[in-house]
């Protein structure tokens, strides 16, 4: 009977793997369709979104009078320490692999060839910012000096021209590894694994996202044990269910947003010139730009505020851009309520700020008016009254058992060691004691999932 049980387990495991793979494939196909459709500049919604982005940025630039100075960090030893941390861990673990392919690494990297910049992209660590920044650096002759006037859909990897130049060098007898090692400034960004997973959950599951709600369907059936029904969608996946999915899904089926950074950027086989971190994002961004002498190609007036306004426009724009698809999942009123909640979690809106639209009003409000309202409320609200991301983070991780936390530490163990993060986290009690506004913990950030 034991062999029968093992056989049934293997069949069930295989079925679940195929199901998860199918969800990833479906999400990928939907993504491709949306990207190709949205890249057509003639589409009305795309044009409106682009105009809104540009106009909001112009207004912001008029308000802000001074420019930020883009310069290298004075703490240059910090980057040496990060390199040494990674080198030491790689050496002690003997993680360098003979199966590593520099060709594969190059073919998945992003480039600004004019500045010999090579970027290894880790999702949920400022990658949208860097995609657009690299695009600006490639298009500097057109006078564009800010990434915030570009839409994500307008960006390309810059890989074609870079690979052409690399192939020409190889044809002259140069070695690919030497070309990448000696000619390019290679950089990547990483983030505390606990924070990165939380950010991925908020962005891909709490926020309306039809691509990842396809994966949500699998989570509902596989983790929760509820059979899929016609018309069912993965809109109400809890944080603990999401983490269970991450922990029980094979690497090859797991989306890169949820994978350890060390599996995406092989720091043990590629010596990165700069290992940036989300925790020191602005400093590291300015350091990299200065390092390749591109400071005069970009202008920032208030880096943090510009990024926040851009986040508002990005989330709002995508929601309205893909409205016809999202409404297949839920009424637009509920969709807008969700992004309103996301803005509270992101410390953009005051916790006490009630959603201002009735159901009929939600059906008629325009993208521009909705974005204007959020931007205005953000600028006029007091920082101490804005929603607490830390409180939402605490509530999310309170859902997990100690066993799940231990499994997360094991899964992301190499990330913690390579990049110097605290594996004993997430230290929820300490975070709670440090909260300035403890009333933020009384707010239920996730009741929206059942609404």
């Amino acid at each position: 009977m034991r062999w029968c049980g093992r056989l049934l387990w293997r069949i069930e495991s295989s079925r679940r793997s195929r199901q998860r793979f199918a969800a990833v494939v479906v999400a990928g196909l939907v993504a491709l369709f949306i990207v190709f459709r949205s890249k057509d500049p003639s589409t009305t919604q795309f044009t409106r979104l682009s105009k809104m982005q540009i106009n909001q940025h112009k207004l912001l630039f008029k308000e802000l009078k001074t420019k930020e100075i883009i310069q290298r960090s004075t703490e240059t030893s910090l980057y040496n320490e990060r390199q040494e941390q990674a080198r030491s861990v790689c050496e002690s673990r003997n993680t360098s692999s003979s199966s590593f392919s520099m060709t594969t690494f190059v073919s998945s990297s992003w480039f600004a060839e004019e500045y010999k910049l090579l970027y290894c992209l880790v999702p949920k660590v400022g990658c949208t910012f860097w995609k657009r920044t690299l695009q600006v650096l490639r298009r500097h002759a057109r006078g564009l000096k800010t990434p915030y006037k570009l839409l994500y859909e307008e960006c390309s990897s810059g890989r074609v021209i870079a690979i052409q130049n690399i192939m020409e060098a190889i044809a002259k007898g140069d070695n690919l590894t030497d070309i990448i090692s000696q000619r390019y400034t290679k950089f990547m960004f990483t983030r505390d694994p606990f924070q990165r997973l939380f950010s991925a959950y908020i962005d891909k599951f709490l926020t309306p996202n039809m691509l990842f709600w396809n994966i949500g369907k699998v989570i509902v059936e596989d983790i929760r044990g509820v059979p899929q029904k016609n018309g069912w969608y993965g809109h109400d996946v809890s944080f603990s269910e999401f983490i269970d999915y991450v922990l029980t899904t094979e690497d090859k089926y797991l989306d890169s947003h949820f994978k350890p950074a060390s599996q995406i950027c092989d720091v043990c086989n590629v010596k990165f010139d700069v290992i940036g971190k989300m925790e020191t994002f602005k400093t590291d961004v300015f350091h990299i730009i200065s390092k390749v002498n591109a400071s005069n190609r970009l202008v920032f007036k208030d880096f943090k505020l510009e990024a926040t306004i851009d986040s508002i426009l990005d989330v709002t724009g995508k929601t309205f851009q893909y409205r016809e698809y999202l409404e297949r999942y839920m009424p637009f009123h509920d969709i807008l309520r969700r992004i309103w909640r996301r803005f509270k979690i992101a410390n953009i809106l005051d916790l006490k700020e009630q959603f201002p639209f009735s159901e009929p009003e939600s059906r008629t409000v325009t993208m521009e008016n909705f974005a204007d309202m959020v931007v205005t409320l953000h600028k006029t609200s007091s920082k101490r009254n804005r929603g607490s991301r830390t409180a939402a983070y605490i509530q999310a991780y309170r859902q997990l058992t100690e066993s799940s936390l231990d499994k997360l530490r094991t899964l992301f163990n190499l990330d913690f060691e390579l990049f110097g993060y605290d594996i004993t986290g997430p230290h929820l009690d300490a975070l709670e004691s440090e909260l300035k506004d403890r009333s933020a913990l009384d707010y239920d950030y996730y009741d929206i999932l059942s609404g």
Side-chain angles (χ1 to χ4, degrees):
M1 293 300 292
R2 286 184 179 179
W3 69 266
C4 183
R6 286 196 298 269
L7 179 61
L8 288 173
W9 181 84
R10 287 176 182 172
I11 291 172
E12 177 64 12
S13 179
S14 177
R15 181 189 70 80
R16 289 178 177 178
S17 294
R18 289 197 302 272
Q19 198 174 52
R20 292 180 180 194
F21 179 68
V24 173
V25 169
V26 169
L29 290 173
V30 172
L32 285 172
F33 171 75
I34 291 171
V35 168
F36 282 123
R37 185 176 186 274
S38 63
K39 276 193 174 183
D40 178 5
S42 65
T43 59
T44 304
Q45 197 66 27
F46 183 89
T47 304
R48 283 180 61 198
L49 182 54
S50 182
K51 285 182 178 178
M52 180 180 74
Q53 196 100 3
I54 293 170
N55 289 339
Q56 282 283 0
H57 192 268
K58 283 181 177 177
L59 288 173
L60 184 60
F61 254 42
K62 284 182 180 178
E63 293 175 18
L64 303 171
K65 303 304 180 184
T66 59
K67 296 179 183 179
E68 294 208 38
I69 299 173
I70 300 175
Q71 60 186 10
R72 289 200 201 193
S73 170
T74 55
E75 300 292 330
T76 53
S77 61
L78 174 67
Y79 303 103
N80 295 331
E81 289 170 6
R82 291 176 183 175
Q83 285 180 323
E84 179 57 27
Q85 170 82 14
R87 187 202 62 76
S88 176
V89 172
C90 291
E91 190 175 273
S92 64
R93 283 181 168 233
N94 194 25
T95 51
S96 295
S97 172
S98 59
S99 63
F100 171 75
S101 168
M102 182 61 78
T103 302
T104 302
F105 172 72
V106 169
S107 65
S108 60
S109 298
W110 287 60
F111 294 85
E113 185 65 6
E114 296 87 339
Y115 294 95
K116 287 294 184 281
L117 265 175
L118 184 156
Y119 170 46
C120 183
L121 185 157
V122 177
K124 299 312 303 169
V125 196
C127 61
T128 299
F129 169 87
W130 271 114
K131 287 177 181 179
R132 294 190 294 179
T133 297
L134 293 177
Q135 187 77 7
V136 170
L137 293 178
R138 291 194 296 267
R139 292 173 55 176
H140 61 73
R142 304 184 189 185
L144 193 63
K145 290 210 166 192
T146 173
Y148 298 123
K149 285 187 180 180
L150 282 174
L151 297 180
Y152 167 82
E153 291 88 350
E154 296 178 90
C155 299
S156 60
S157 67
R159 208 173 290 135
V160 174
I161 294 176
I163 290 178
Q164 284 176 353
N165 292 339
I166 290 170
M167 292 301 294
E168 288 176 7
I170 290 174
K172 294 176 181 178
D174 292 334
N175 175 275
L176 175 59
T177 300
D178 291 340
I179 293 170
I180 300 302
S181 299
Q182 298 169 13
R183 300 189 187 184
Y184 286 88
T185 297
K186 300 166 293 302
F187 71 98
M188 63 169 290
F189 273 74
T190 186
R191 186 178 196 171
D192 176 87
F194 292 122
Q195 291 284 356
R196 184 166 164 251
L197 284 170
F198 174 71
S199 178
Y201 171 75
I202 297 300
D203 189 39
K204 306 305 179 186
F205 292 98
L206 185 138
T207 306
N209 191 310
M210 56 193 170
L211 275 63
F212 285 88
W213 280 358
N214 280 309
I215 294 175
K217 291 179 182 179
V218 175
I219 297 176
V220 168
E221 178 169 18
D222 204 12
I223 304 299
R224 193 181 302 172
V226 177
Q228 290 187 29
K229 302 174 183 178
N230 290 334
W232 185 261
Y233 48 94
H235 70 294
D236 61 346
V237 170
S238 69
F239 183 71
S240 62
E241 289 171 334
F242 161 66
I243 293 299
D244 283 346
Y245 169 77
V246 171
L247 292 172
T248 58
T249 301
E250 293 180 60
D251 287 347
K252 60 184 177 181
Y253 300 130
L254 197 60
D255 186 88
S256 60
H257 288 80
F258 319 138
K259 283 186 176 181
S262 53
Q263 291 183 12
I264 301 169
C265 298
D266 193 341
V267 297
C268 290
N269 285 289
V270 177
K271 183 179 179 181
F272 286 90
D273 299 280
V274 179
I275 297 175
K277 292 189 175 184
M278 197 67 179
E279 295 79 6
T280 53
F281 192 74
K282 174 183 168 181
T283 300
D284 297 346
V285 166
F286 283 13
H287 180 77
I288 292 166
I289 293 170
S290 299
K291 187 177 177 66
V292 295
N293 299 316
S295 300
N296 63 331
R297 297 299 184 186
L298 291 158
V299 174
F300 299 103
K301 289 193 171 182
D302 185 325
F303 191 85
K304 185 176 181 180
L305 179 59
E306 288 176 71
T308 300
I309 301 301
D310 181 71
S311 174
I312 295 170
L313 302 179
D314 178 58
V315 173
T316 302
K318 285 179 180 175
T319 301
F320 279 84
Q321 189 177 10
Y322 305 133
R323 175 175 180 170
E324 65 177 285
Y325 303 104
L326 290 170
E327 284 186 312
R328 298 174 188 175
Y329 293 85
M330 61 172 61
F332 201 58
H333 179 69
D334 293 337
I335 291 167
L336 292 181
R337 286 178 61 237
R338 284 214 176 204
I339 66 171
W340 194 264
R341 178 63 54 84
R342 178 206 170 115
F343 290 144
K344 288 187 176 184
I345 291 174
N347 294 333
I348 289 172
L349 289 177
D350 191 315
L351 270 181
K352 298 176 183 177
E353 199 67 61
Q354 297 297 311
F355 184 70
F357 302 108
S358 64
E359 289 193 40
E361 289 170 337
S362 292
R363 291 194 290 269
T364 58
V365 66
T366 66
M367 173 177 67
E368 293 82 359
N369 287 343
F370 188 91
D372 281 344
M373 176 177 288
V374 178
V375 169
T376 301
L377 286 171
H378 174 71
K379 289 179 180 178
T380 56
S381 66
S382 168
K383 287 185 179 180
R384 65 177 180 276
N385 291 325
R386 291 178 192 160
S388 173
R389 186 183 189 280
T390 301
Y393 174 85
I394 291 170
Q395 280 188 13
Y397 275 97
R398 290 284 189 209
Q399 298 176 26
L400 304 189
T401 63
E402 191 58 40
S403 174
S404 292
L405 287 171
D406 283 340
K407 290 175 183 177
L408 273 182
R409 293 175 186 123
T410 299
L411 179 61
F412 286 85
N413 180 270
L414 189 55
D415 275 20
F416 284 112
E417 287 200 35
L418 283 171
F419 309 119
Y421 289 110
D422 184 0
I423 197 170
T424 64
H427 302 302
L428 303 181
D429 290 339
L431 287 173
E432 190 171 324
S433 66
E434 292 170 3
L435 273 178
K436 294 180 180 178
D437 181 7
R438 295 186 61 81
S439 65
L441 286 168
D442 298 329
Y443 190 90
D444 186 348
Y445 295 90
Y446 304 105
D447 61 354
I448 196 79
L449 295 173
S450 57

